[in-house]
Amino acid sequence: MQDTQYTDIDYMEDNKDFTYDMVKFKDLPQFADYMHEQGQKYILILDPAIAISKRINGTYESYDRGTEVEAWVTEADGTTPLVGEVWPGATVFPDYTKRSCIDWWVDEIERFYKEVKHDAIWIDMNEVSSFVQGSSKGCADNKLNYPPFTPKILDDLIYSKTLCMDAKQAWGNHYDVHSLYGYSMVLATDEAVKKVFGNNRSFILTRSSFPGVGKYSGHWLGDNAANWNDIKWAIPGMLEFSLFGVPYIGADICGFFDDVTEELCRRWMQVGAFYPFSRNHNAQYYKPQDPAAFGADSLLVKTSKHHLSIRYTLLPYLYTLFYKAHVNGDTVVRPVMHEFYSDSATWTVDRQFLWGAHLLITPVLDAGVDTVKAYIPDAVWYNYETEEKITERKQQVDMYLPADKLGLHIRGGAILPIQRPAVTTTHSRLSPMGLIIALDDNNEASGELFWDDGESRDTVSSGAYIHYKFSVVYGVLTMQVQHNGYVDPNNLVFENITVLGLSSPPTAVSITEGSSVVAVPEFNIQYDSLKKVLYLRGLSMELGKSYTVTWSSVISDFERIDCYPEDGSDEAKCSSRGCIWQPTNLNGVPWCYFPQDYGYIAEPVTETPTGWSFNIVRNTKYPAPRAASRDIDTLQVEITYLSAHSLRFKIYDPANKRYEVPVPLTLPSDPSVPENRRMYRVQVTQQPFGIQVIRNSTGTVIWDSSLPGFTFSDMFIQVSTRLPSQYIYGFGETEHASFRHDLNWHTWGMFSKDQPPGYKMNCYGVHPFYMGLEPTAHAHGVLLLNSNAMDVTLQPTPALTYRTIGGILDFYMVMGPTPELVVQEYTEMIGRPVLPAYWSLGFQLCRYGYANDTEIAELYRDMKSAGIPYDVQYADIDYMERQLDFTLGKDFQGLPALVESMRAEKMRFIFILDPAISGNETEPYPAFEHGVEDDVFIKWPAHLGDGIVWGKVWPDFPNVDVDESLDWDTQVEIYRSYTAFPDFFRNHTATWWHREISDFYTNTMKFDGIWIDMNEPASFVHGTVGGKCLGDDIYENPPYMPPLESKHEGLNHKTLCMNSEQFLPGGTPVKHYDVHNLYGWSHTKPTYDALLNVTGARGIVVTRSTYPTSGQWAGHWLGDNNASWDQLYKSIIGMLEFSLFGISYTGADICGFFSEAEYEMCLRWMQLGAFYPYSRNHNGKGNKRQDPVAWDAPFAEASRDVLNIRYTLLPYLYTLMYEAHAEGSTVVRPLLHEFVNDKVTWDIHRQFLWGPALLISPALEKGETVVSAYVPNARWYDYHTARALDVRGQFVNMPTPLNKINLHVRGGHILPWQKPENNTFYSRKNPLGLIVALGDDGTARGSLFWDDGEGIDTDKSGQYLLLSFSVFKKTLTSTLLQNGLDPADRLRLGHVRVWGTGSIPITKVSINYPGESGFLPNFYHDAVTEELVIDTTSGPYFVDQHFTISWSTGL
């Protein structure tokens, strides 16, 4: 196998560049043509030194032309060409830093190419080398040639074997640029190859290098020798050049100098087959050492052919590694420690190396040896030759490597693309492809393939390539095309797949493409039971298409749908349900699972233009699984096409009215949609009944419920669906450790509860909504509108199982197709997020445990003194008399006056209200008395006594002194008052609630917002006082209990009895069992309506318990979190999830509610919390204060700095809030919403965006001062410096000292801003600035929404300003979209900061404004940061007028 033939300087006439010897190499042009006919390549050498002597038959024209353009390095006089001596004799040296020289060099190469057709250029002697010291004249005695200090270099002479240091080049003295000579030659040669070879990629090979040269050239390790030391040294040499960013690297195989022995050359050919640059090369006058020189039947030839055949087989893998090096900067030849850094044993391994992450090469590097000491890192490894798994790991071994072998091992977890080898790459690229899959400990693997035409230039940037990602999870190989911009002319297919480490033979293998599933014939399937290897042969999967390949031996376990999700499963119980019992040793896999036909059977179905309607009947061959929950044998199915991008499917009992969720959704009034406009199509499977929803544009099945196990009974409903990928997000409210769900058999309960965040703990709200990503990077969303207690199980099939204990199945699906559109379409149904008051975007302070109003006053004074921006002060239940709503405690009698004084300084005040109302008062308590009169409290049903269902919450009995040293349960028993719970479904309850709020505002204390808590509803007793719930216990302890916190205590744990009765607005009675999860939802709108009516302003409501549609009226905080590092990062996940749920105004208690905060953690939390939409520092009673002025001066300063950034960007945040309110877009945004085609972003949850343009990358770990943050593929600017980042599409280590949070602005976007002040009232009066972050194409866009900040429904009445901004060709244009702004709220234009304007000085800035056009004199351009700052404050410019601002360089 040979692809390339080189010629060294022997081909030249007298060693002169751009000539060939017309005697010895007279047929060189014909030889080059012959090579090309055979599919091979020819590469020639060029040295920089140009002879000054004439050619044999006349003048040396290359020299003459160079002299004519003054192309040479000169002596110190800057005029006289410096003459040295190299191979041709007396020579001059091109000055490649000079434009005329570069043009000459390009021209000479182009001329010579017309004589001899070569394919690439090898440049040598470019250190620069000379055989005389300095020059033919010597070197002058000066400080450049004889500096005060000479490093330890050859001959201790700085111009030894090179040029005098006082020689002149365009870039400067040779003293300064000597080490750049090879680099400048590479740049000039790069220009030449681009011109000569045009669109063909070609390559350059250089001997001398400098940082950055790897972008243009490869490198060989120079003139080594044929000895065992140099074969060893080659590996560290390659590893070092990997660090230096030169991945195309190798050593001269078998050595350059000296005669080589057969053994040394044989071992070198083995390891050299795995050099990225693999070339056998030796010097003149030594014995030939190419493999053929040792004889056709020699062991050396045989082992060379064998290992080169392996190399050629693996070239698709190697080529993909070079793609990743080119795009991401990954290493190709990789030190073992790069993959196993935590194992210190790998730190000194330098006699082995990796190709990428997955191929370990262990050569023999000593004479007379057939056993080497090799280190096996901590992973599964397979012998490449034998395909067997080795048992050793994380240990040194004696590896036996006979004369014809080197060690070659594939790492478990790898998928290596391969191709059948041929004698050249030209011919091997015609051969079928394949995959080697090496399973890891989890039976998983992954890999990639990059493929283009192999030689065209810039295929990555032009998109003319194919990019696959491969993965194996649970016996399913996914071959997903990430990008397809190239059609291979050879009609390549994946022919063979080898799976290493498969523990058992498959019973069947199938290949899926789109909706087509084809079984692989048995004769194409082989399994080696000794090696544990599966061979799939004779496949024909076309390159460029996506496939899944499934082998059933493993997948069968992961296809199981759990038939006995309750505790205590055994074979007898399983069999009694008609299910299959089969133990397995795989974690999480159910032992009891449904048979394939378990479920319902669809009666004949017919599609109509608007959907489907038909019955399904239960397959009664199987017994009812739960005697206490009657199965419903006949069900009605209705599938409705709601719009082009949405549909609904509803399954219910047609014979008996069942509870349905009373939450109204906004659905199209006319749901008929022409088929050709729908983004989806629906199919129905008859047995087992199931619905498939298919995306029309891709054929992806995004919902497929034709799985066994569908159950519909009185108090238990279960349905499963396949998922299109492992990537789903959502389901809440539960703490999750990652944004993307782990599908490894996890079950999450949903039932609203007074439960702080914790693993697998059901928390305050319920959101049965998820967003799924598809392999094609499309997105969809699914809502199950059911309010009963439920759970979801996520399993690796991938599949999802819903279980709920009541109601009906009412699914809504939106089709996206982007993640952001999924949220917009979902909020179109459930209601757009509320538009909060502007002041509510300011920083806020709260604490449970303020002793009195004086403490609040002192806090306010200290915050003002520290100059920390701050808009809102809270009072928790401490302000109340004995924690009674609508009262004021004795220690807070001065609070109303304090609030008035704070509001006079434009601060705002929010107070807390709980729903529970004390009923044990000895003095008149109007809230309770009016509630009884108006019949607002939840009671028992009439047949159970019709009395109030009493609980206990925070209110204390009157006239008691609480001993807080007692245990909690004792305190509840002896101190807590009986409380009644309003039924907020009832219209007259809303009227009562409004009246009580109004009376408090009018008669007791003013406020601006309301914080509602404990509305799950929470109670400190279980069910009711005394613990005895009336009525049928089946509702307290249903036949199936989801995996809820304290599920053994029943559903009424820490809440009301499930038999309690409530009434819907129309008077329909419902059990609390059905509507428990809606209590907080029902509490929210009456509170929001009361706030707006009472205060006459927009304000904000913050609620703890939520349900779909709650976001229309309120924001949400993430509950009573803990002051711990894990809660810090999980708060990002919580916000991202609530963004999906349509609640934009969200955040966590900064620094944590429970436990005492630690200094570093609290400071990092202040930094992160400054970018919560709802930014509030709040902690619990008994803990030390944690507000910004509770620590020290550096803490206060860092808090002030980061909050000043928040306040600076509030116009941008407010605009995002408006866009969420108007369009349903997200405010806190996952990276995947903006960069969904980059699948790296699908797993990122430790960074987030504000809208599309501000990237927040916080420090989230103790002691972390460097954050590894992902920079998506776009132009980004450092917010702090205005400098553009020079990386994209990769992780970057960002220095993050304790006083910094990483912020980056995305190019192509415009962010409005204002100078910060101590609160938003004053910051809103400052001029409006713009940050204009130019994109790669010099354009940018943005918008501004502005109103009075608190008016009710200003967006509906038109009382607002809406602007769009754009930049094109160095002109910023403001376009007025709406102007109904009150004159009092007008904004002047301030400073415009334009980023990415380039380094050429900007000399002129002008404005075009109605009546005021001309030049703007006040601007500054920083050529280093490339920021242009334009100060418009001296002019009469208001932003509510159309204007343009232009800038120019004067060039």
Side-chain angles (χ1 to χ4, degrees):
M1 293 174 175
Q2 180 186 350
D3 256 84
T4 307
Q5 181 62 53
Y6 285 73
T7 52
D8 209 321
I9 57 175
D10 353 53
Y11 80 88
M12 301 176 182
E13 176 190 303
D14 295 333
N15 302 326
K16 289 180 169 69
D17 279 355
F18 311 118
T19 70
Y20 67 93
D21 190 318
M22 301 300 288
V23 177
K24 297 177 182 177
F25 287 84
K26 63 183 176 61
D27 295 325
L28 184 61
Q30 292 77 21
F31 171 74
D33 293 340
Y34 171 78
M35 293 284 292
H36 294 145
E37 290 168 4
Q38 304 305 310
Q40 295 173 297
K41 307 296 182 183
Y42 168 58
I43 298 176
L44 52 75
I45 193 170
L46 291 175
D47 291 342
I50 300 297
I52 63 175
S53 60
K54 295 187 176 185
R55 292 189 64 179
I56 294 172
N57 295 319
T59 61
Y60 183 20
E61 293 181 350
S62 294
Y63 168 69
D64 293 343
R65 285 189 289 266
T67 301
E68 184 179 342
V69 299
E70 300 179 347
W72 317 126
V73 175
T74 69
E75 295 178 3
D77 62 6
T79 303
T80 307
L82 184 148
V83 177
E85 181 181 327
V86 197
W87 295 114
T91 58
V92 290
F93 301 89
D95 176 4
Y96 294 107
T97 69
K98 192 174 185 180
R99 184 69 250 173
S100 63
C101 175
I102 296 170
D103 293 341
W104 162 80
W105 182 250
V106 172
D107 180 61
E108 294 303 322
I109 291 175
E110 188 175 20
R111 289 170 183 266
F112 193 61
Y113 178 76
K114 293 175 181 177
E115 294 185 57
V116 181
K117 294 294 190 290
H118 52 280
D119 299 282
I121 299 175
W122 165 28
I123 52 178
D124 194 9
M125 306 296 287
N126 55 346
E127 293 73 26
V128 55
S129 292
S130 179
F131 296 162
V132 296
Q133 305 290 48
S135 78
S136 60
K137 300 176 182 178
C139 297
D141 185 0
N142 56 42
K143 287 186 178 181
L144 295 179
N145 294 318
Y146 298 94
F149 172 76
T150 300
K152 284 295 181 183
I153 56 176
L154 183 68
D155 300 328
D156 291 323
L157 184 65
I158 200 164
Y159 56 80
S160 179
K161 294 179 70 173
T162 189
L163 310 185
C164 296
M165 293 296 116
D166 59 358
K168 292 289 189 284
Q169 296 183 48
W171 283 358
N173 292 320
H174 193 70
Y175 179 91
D176 295 312
V177 299
H178 166 84
S179 296
L180 295 175
Y181 192 88
Y183 178 73
S184 66
M185 186 181 182
V186 167
L187 295 182
T189 308
D190 182 62
E191 286 197 29
V193 298
K194 286 177 178 175
K195 185 170 184 183
V196 170
F197 301 114
N199 287 330
N200 282 353
R201 201 175 308 158
S202 183
F203 77 90
I204 303 167
L205 188 70
T206 181
R207 190 167 76 173
S208 181
S209 60
F210 192 80
V213 80
K215 183 177 179 180
Y216 309 99
S217 176
H219 172 69
W220 87 105
L221 295 173
D223 298 341
N224 58 357
N227 59 57
W228 290 96
N229 179 71
D230 283 12
I231 190 176
K232 295 184 186 73
W233 175 83
I235 295 176
M238 289 195 301
L239 297 180
E240 287 175 343
F241 273 86
S242 288
L243 297 182
F244 301 158
V246 185
Y248 191 64
I249 183 71
D252 282 347
I253 296 171
C254 299
F256 181 73
F257 292 118
D258 304 329
D259 290 328
V260 70
T261 66
E262 185 278 341
E263 181 190 12
L264 174 58
C265 194
R266 171 168 31 88
R267 290 303 193 183
W268 214 325
M269 283 298 298
Q270 292 168 3
V271 66
F274 298 94
Y275 293 169
F277 171 52
S278 180
R279 180 183 74 166
N280 182 310
H281 179 219
N282 71 326
Q284 195 174 21
Y285 308 123
Y286 298 109
K287 292 191 305 184
Q289 63 187 34
D290 55 88
F294 292 87
D297 294 327
S298 66
L299 181 60
L300 187 146
V301 165
K302 291 177 181 177
T303 192
S304 298
K305 288 173 65 176
H306 176 72
H307 288 96
L308 286 171
S309 179
I310 295 174
R311 176 191 181 90
Y312 276 59
T313 299
L314 292 171
L315 281 183
Y317 172 59
L318 179 61
Y319 194 50
T320 301
L321 293 178
F322 271 98
Y323 160 74
K324 296 182 74 174
H326 176 66
V327 172
N328 301 327
D330 294 5
T331 56
V332 176
V333 164
R334 190 168 299 179
V336 179
M337 73 168 178
H338 275 215
E339 290 295 316
F340 301 94
Y341 181 75
S342 61
D343 180 358
S344 59
T346 66
W347 297 359
T348 55
V349 173
D350 59 5
R351 293 172 66 122
Q352 299 167 267
F353 60 96
L354 292 158
W355 265 12
H358 293 129
L359 190 69
L360 177 65
I361 296 109
T362 307
V364 176
L365 303 174
D366 293 291
V369 166
D370 62 7
T371 302
V372 301
K373 295 285 187 185
Y375 189 72
I376 306 299
D378 189 14
V380 174
W381 294 95
Y382 299 88
N383 187 311
Y384 179 92
E385 304 266 15
T386 68
E387 303 178 322
E388 294 174 300
K389 183 190 294 185
I390 65 173
T391 57
E392 299 87 358
R393 61 194 293 171
K394 202 176 184 182
Q395 65 186 89
Q396 192 172 76
V397 300
D398 290 326
M399 188 179 292
Y400 175 62
L401 300 172
D404 62 340
K405 300 293 182 188
L406 92 166
L408 202 58
H409 293 86
I410 305 175
R411 181 178 176 183
I415 300 180
L416 306 185
I418 59 174
Q419 194 165 29
R420 189 191 305 163
V423 293
T424 68
T425 56
T426 300
H427 293 95
S428 65
R429 282 179 59 91
L430 305 175
S431 302
M433 307 191 79
L435 298 175
I436 299 174
I437 299 169
L439 299 177
D440 65 9
D441 289 319
N442 298 315
N443 291 314
E444 297 179 357
S446 62
E448 296 181 49
L449 169 66
F450 171 83
W451 195 255
D452 59 4
D453 66 7
E455 59 183 6
S456 293
R457 187 176 295 277
D458 297 329
T459 57
V460 173
S461 58
S462 69
Y465 65 91
I466 298 169
H467 185 205
Y468 272 95
K469 282 201 174 179
F470 307 116
S471 64
V472 170
V473 180
Y474 307 118
V476 177
L477 164 65
T478 301
M479 303 169 62
Q480 181 61 49
V481 176
Q482 304 289 107
H483 176 88
N484 191 353
Y486 171 67
V487 177
D488 194 287
N490 303 308
N491 299 318
L492 295 184
V493 298
F494 291 94
E495 180 182 55
N496 298 329
I497 296 175
T498 301
V499 185
L500 309 180
L502 190 64
S503 58
S504 59
T507 56
V509 179
S510 62
I511 298 175
T512 302
E513 182 204 354
S515 58
S516 171
V517 181
V518 177
V520 177
E522 287 188 18
F523 57 78
N524 294 114
I525 304 169
Q526 301 169 28
Y527 181 76
D528 188 321
S529 59
L530 295 178
K531 293 183 179 182
K532 306 296 184 186
V533 178
L534 171 65
Y535 303 96
L536 304 178
R537 298 292 183 252
L539 311 177
S540 293
M541 295 182 288
E542 296 177 29
L543 179 71
K545 292 185 177 181
S546 296
Y547 296 90
T548 58
V549 181
T550 303
W551 43 89
S552 61
S553 56
V554 175
I555 196 65
S556 59
D557 284 342
F558 297 104
E559 289 277 356
R560 298 181 181 185
I561 304 298
D562 196 351
C563 178
Y564 208 102
E566 300 93 335
D567 297 331
S569 173
D570 59 35
E571 186 169 5
K573 293 175 182 175
C574 179
S575 298
S576 71
R577 292 185 175 179
C579 292
I580 301 168
W581 178 264
Q582 185 178 348
T584 176
N585 59 2
L586 295 175
N587 289 336
V589 175
W591 291 16
C592 179
Y593 60 97
F594 290 103
Q596 285 298 313
D597 59 347
Y598 192 109
Y600 283 73
I601 304 167
E603 295 182 344
V605 298
T606 303
E607 184 180 12
T608 70
T610 59
W612 312 62
S613 181
F614 55 91
N615 286 345
I616 57 176
V617 295
R618 191 170 74 86
N619 187 349
T620 55
K621 73 182 266 190
Y622 296 106
R626 292 167 184 81
S629 182
R630 177 187 63 89
D631 274 33
I632 300 169
D633 289 340
T634 300
L635 298 170
Q636 179 80 19
V637 178
E638 291 180 357
I639 304 171
T640 306
Y641 303 148
L642 296 175
S643 70
H645 58 255
S646 62
L647 69 156
R648 175 188 189 183
F649 36 102
K650 178 178 177 181
I651 305 175
Y652 59 97
D653 180 356
N656 299 285
K657 177 68 176 173
R658 292 176 60 83
Y659 164 75
E660 296 186 23
V661 176
V663 173
L665 301 184
T666 301
L667 303 177
S669 56
D670 179 12
S672 64
V673 184
E675 182 178 359
N676 61 2
R677 285 185 48 221
R678 292 199 297 267
M679 298 170 65
Y680 56 87
R681 64 183 185 273
V682 174
Q683 295 176 356
V684 175
T685 302
Q686 287 196 290
Q687 186 176 6
F689 158 72
I691 297 170
Q692 291 88 37
V693 181
I694 303 160
R695 186 179 295 280
N696 280 331
S697 62
T698 63
T700 302
V701 181
I702 60 177
W703 176 280
D704 181 5
S705 59
S706 57
L707 293 173
F710 179 32
T711 304
F712 200 118
S713 64
D714 278 342
M715 300 183 70
F716 179 81
I717 302 172
Q718 173 170 317
V719 64
S720 300
T721 179
R722 293 182 188 275
L723 300 169
S725 80
Q726 300 273 337
Y727 292 86
I728 74 164
Y729 309 81
F731 291 128
E733 179 177 10
T734 309
E735 177 187 281
H736 297 127
S738 61
F739 184 40
R740 175 171 76 93
H741 274 286
D742 179 356
L743 268 62
N744 192 26
W745 302 105
H746 285 284
T747 299
W748 303 91
M750 286 182 276
F751 190 65
S752 58
K753 188 169 190 176
D754 175 15
Q755 173 60 51
Y759 183 67
K760 294 288 179 82
M761 300 292 189
N762 51 297
C763 293
Y764 313 102
V766 169
H767 290 271
F769 174 80
Y770 76 86
M771 181 181 74
L773 294 181
E774 301 151 35
T776 54
H778 293 85
H780 62 276
V782 178
L783 167 68
L784 171 58
L785 191 65
N786 181 291
S787 63
N788 289 86
M790 70 172 73
D791 62 49
V792 291
T793 295
L794 303 166
Q795 67 185 64
T797 314
L800 162 65
T801 297
Y802 293 90
R803 302 182 191 90
T804 180
I805 62 171
I808 66 168
L809 294 179
D810 196 3
F811 286 101
Y812 297 82
M813 182 177 290
V814 293
M815 300 295 295
T818 68
E820 194 65 9
L821 280 172
V822 166
V823 178
Q824 291 178 21
E825 291 159 5
Y826 180 50
T827 57
E828 185 179 28
M829 282 186 183
I830 66 169
R832 304 297 198 197
V834 68
L835 179 63
Y838 193 96
W839 56 260
S840 72
L841 301 181
F843 181 60
Q844 310 180 28
L845 281 179
C846 184
R847 173 172 166 78
Y848 174 34
Y850 288 131
N852 48 49
D853 50 59
T854 302
E855 184 177 351
I856 297 175
E858 291 172 350
L859 171 63
Y860 177 52
R861 180 197 64 207
D862 292 346
M863 288 288 287
K864 283 200 300 182
S865 177
I868 298 174
Y870 159 49
D871 263 84
V872 184
Q873 179 61 53
Y874 281 71
D876 207 324
I877 55 175
D878 322 275
Y879 81 88
M880 303 174 181
E881 177 190 345
R882 294 180 291 107
Q883 296 84 244
L884 272 67
D885 279 355
F886 310 114
T887 66
L888 203 62
K890 60 182 176 58
D891 294 323
F892 288 84
Q893 292 299 306
L895 183 59
L898 174 61
V899 168
E900 285 298 323
S901 66
M902 292 172 69
R903 294 176 86 226
E905 296 180 5
K906 308 309 178 183
M907 288 287 291
R908 306 291 179 153
F909 181 75
I910 293 178
F911 77 122
I912 193 171
L913 285 176
D914 292 340
I917 302 296
S918 173
N920 285 121
E921 298 309 301
T922 55
E923 299 292 332
Y925 180 35
F928 178 72
E929 293 164 1
H930 295 160
V932 171
E933 292 169 7
D934 294 342
D935 192 21
V936 305
F937 297 120
I938 295 174
K939 297 180 178 180
W940 298 110
H943 70 277
L944 295 177
D946 196 32
I948 291 174
V949 180
W950 296 107
K952 289 193 173 192
V953 196
W954 287 115
D956 290 334
F957 286 122
N959 307 314
V960 299
D961 293 319
V962 177
D963 181 356
E964 294 187 354
S965 68
L966 297 175
D967 67 87
W968 177 254
D969 288 339
T970 300
Q971 288 187 51
V972 169
E973 182 179 354
I974 65 177
Y975 298 132
R976 296 288 182 258
S977 169
Y978 286 34
T979 55
F981 295 84
D983 180 359
F984 288 103
F985 282 123
R986 306 174 84 163
N987 293 328
H988 57 264
T989 304
T991 302
W992 161 82
W993 186 245
H994 177 278
R995 184 176 65 243
E996 301 306 319
I997 291 172
S998 178
D999 288 349
F1000 187 72
Y1001 183 85
T1002 303
N1003 302 321
T1004 305
M1005 183 171 63
K1006 298 294 186 285
F1007 51 83
D1008 302 279
I1010 302 177
W1011 167 26
I1012 50 177
D1013 193 10
M1014 306 296 286
N1015 54 351
E1016 291 72 32
S1019 179
F1020 296 159
V1021 295
H1022 308 319
T1024 188
V1025 176
K1028 177 59 178 174
C1029 289
L1030 305 181
D1032 194 339
D1033 185 62
I1034 197 170
Y1035 294 104
E1036 316 299 335
N1037 296 281
Y1040 175 76
M1041 188 70 174
L1044 308 175
E1045 194 279 328
S1046 299
K1047 70 173 187 176
H1048 60 284
E1049 300 278 3
L1051 289 177
N1052 58 39
H1053 183 255
K1054 293 174 65 174
T1055 190
L1056 301 184
C1057 295
M1058 296 297 113
N1059 272 303
S1060 305
E1061 188 172 63
Q1062 296 184 245
F1063 291 88
L1064 300 181
T1068 302
V1070 288
K1071 292 183 183 297
H1072 190 71
Y1073 176 88
D1074 292 313
V1075 298
H1076 168 85
N1077 290 333
L1078 301 179
Y1079 191 86
W1081 173 86
S1082 69
H1083 186 198
T1084 302
K1085 187 177 187 299
T1087 306
Y1088 177 73
D1089 291 343
L1091 174 70
L1092 269 58
N1093 185 271
V1094 168
T1095 65
R1098 195 184 316 156
I1100 189 68
V1101 173
V1102 182
T1103 180
R1104 191 165 77 172
S1105 185
T1106 59
Y1107 189 81
T1109 78
S1110 290
Q1112 297 176 93
W1113 310 299
H1116 171 67
W1117 89 105
L1118 296 175
D1120 297 341
N1121 58 357
N1122 194 60
S1124 59
W1125 285 96
D1126 74 299
Q1127 298 274 288
L1128 175 62
Y1129 95 82
K1130 289 172 183 173
S1131 71
I1132 298 176
I1133 299 166
M1135 288 195 299
L1136 296 179
E1137 289 179 338
F1138 273 88
S1139 287
L1140 296 183
F1141 301 154
I1143 300 180
S1144 300
Y1145 189 72
T1146 186
D1149 283 347
I1150 295 172
C1151 298
F1153 180 77
F1154 289 117
S1155 305
E1156 289 190 358
E1158 175 261 320
Y1159 184 99
E1160 179 189 359
M1161 183 205 68
C1162 191
L1163 183 50
R1164 290 303 196 191
W1165 214 326
M1166 281 296 301
Q1167 292 166 352
L1168 171 61
F1171 297 93
Y1172 292 165
Y1174 173 43
S1175 181
R1176 179 182 75 164
N1177 182 310
H1178 175 45
N1179 71 327
K1181 195 172 185 179
N1183 299 317
K1184 292 180 182 177
R1185 277 176 50 188
Q1186 61 189 32
D1187 51 80
V1189 291
W1191 302 88
D1192 59 14
F1195 190 106
E1197 181 180 358
S1199 299
R1200 179 176 63 248
D1201 290 346
V1202 74
L1203 287 171
N1204 273 336
I1205 295 174
R1206 178 190 180 87
Y1207 275 62
T1208 297
L1209 294 173
L1210 283 186
Y1212 174 60
L1213 179 60
Y1214 192 53
T1215 300
L1216 293 176
M1217 285 289 179
Y1218 163 75
E1219 290 172 352
H1221 179 65
E1223 302 164 8
S1225 53
T1226 56
V1227 176
V1228 164
R1229 190 169 298 179
L1231 273 64
L1232 68 88
H1233 277 223
E1234 291 294 313
F1235 301 94
V1236 71
N1237 289 316
D1238 179 357
K1239 295 194 176 180
V1240 174
T1241 65
W1242 295 15
D1243 281 307
I1244 290 178
H1245 55 256
R1246 299 172 77 92
Q1247 300 167 260
F1248 60 97
L1249 293 158
W1250 265 11
L1254 184 69
L1255 176 64
I1256 297 112
S1257 307
L1260 301 170
E1261 300 289 340
K1262 185 177 179 64
E1264 186 176 33
T1265 56
V1266 176
V1267 171
S1268 177
Y1270 190 69
V1271 179
N1273 188 19
R1275 176 180 284 197
W1276 294 94
Y1277 298 88
D1278 187 322
Y1279 175 86
H1280 302 288
T1281 67
R1283 291 175 183 260
L1285 298 188
D1286 58 0
V1287 296
R1288 58 180 69 188
Q1290 65 188 71
F1291 283 92
V1292 174
N1293 287 331
M1294 297 180 179
T1296 313
L1298 194 55
N1299 62 351
K1300 179 184 177 184
I1301 184 170
N1302 300 297
L1303 303 171
H1304 294 89
V1305 178
R1306 183 177 175 186
H1309 291 267
I1310 299 174
L1311 280 60
W1313 64 277
Q1314 282 178 312
K1315 179 178 175 292
E1317 302 291 350
N1318 273 9
N1319 64 47
T1320 56
F1321 177 83
Y1322 297 104
S1323 67
R1324 280 176 55 88
K1325 293 184 176 299
N1326 287 330
L1328 184 85
L1330 298 174
I1331 294 174
V1332 179
L1334 298 179
D1336 291 334
D1337 58 357
T1339 67
R1341 295 190 309 177
S1343 58
L1344 172 73
F1345 171 82
W1346 197 255
D1347 62 0
D1348 65 3
E1350 61 179 2
I1352 297 172
D1353 292 334
T1354 57
D1355 59 311
K1356 294 177 182 175
S1357 63
Q1359 296 173 287
Y1360 65 92
L1361 174 70
L1362 185 63
L1363 302 174
S1364 73
F1365 305 107
S1366 63
V1367 170
F1368 182 68
K1369 291 186 176 180
K1370 300 180 182 178
T1371 297
L1372 167 67
T1373 301
S1374 172
T1375 303
L1376 192 64
L1377 303 177
Q1378 166 67 27
N1379 188 6
L1381 198 63
D1382 188 289
D1385 297 307
R1386 295 185 78 194
L1387 287 170
R1388 286 184 177 272
L1389 185 62
H1391 288 76
V1392 177
R1393 304 172 63 191
V1394 188
W1395 294 352
T1397 54
S1399 58
I1400 300 173
I1402 289 171
T1403 58
K1404 184 171 65 175
V1405 177
S1406 60
I1407 188 168
N1408 190 329
Y1409 182 87
E1412 285 285 340
S1413 296
F1415 294 112
L1416 291 172
N1418 298 325
F1419 67 90
Y1420 169 72
H1421 178 239
D1422 188 322
V1424 177
T1425 64
E1426 302 184 2
E1427 179 185 29
L1428 170 65
V1429 180
I1430 305 167
D1431 180 359
T1432 72
T1433 55
S1434 60
Y1437 308 124
F1438 286 91
V1439 300
D1440 54 19
Q1441 300 295 309
H1442 174 79
F1443 65 85
T1444 63
I1445 296 176
S1446 300
W1447 56 92
S1448 62
T1449 61
L1451 295 181

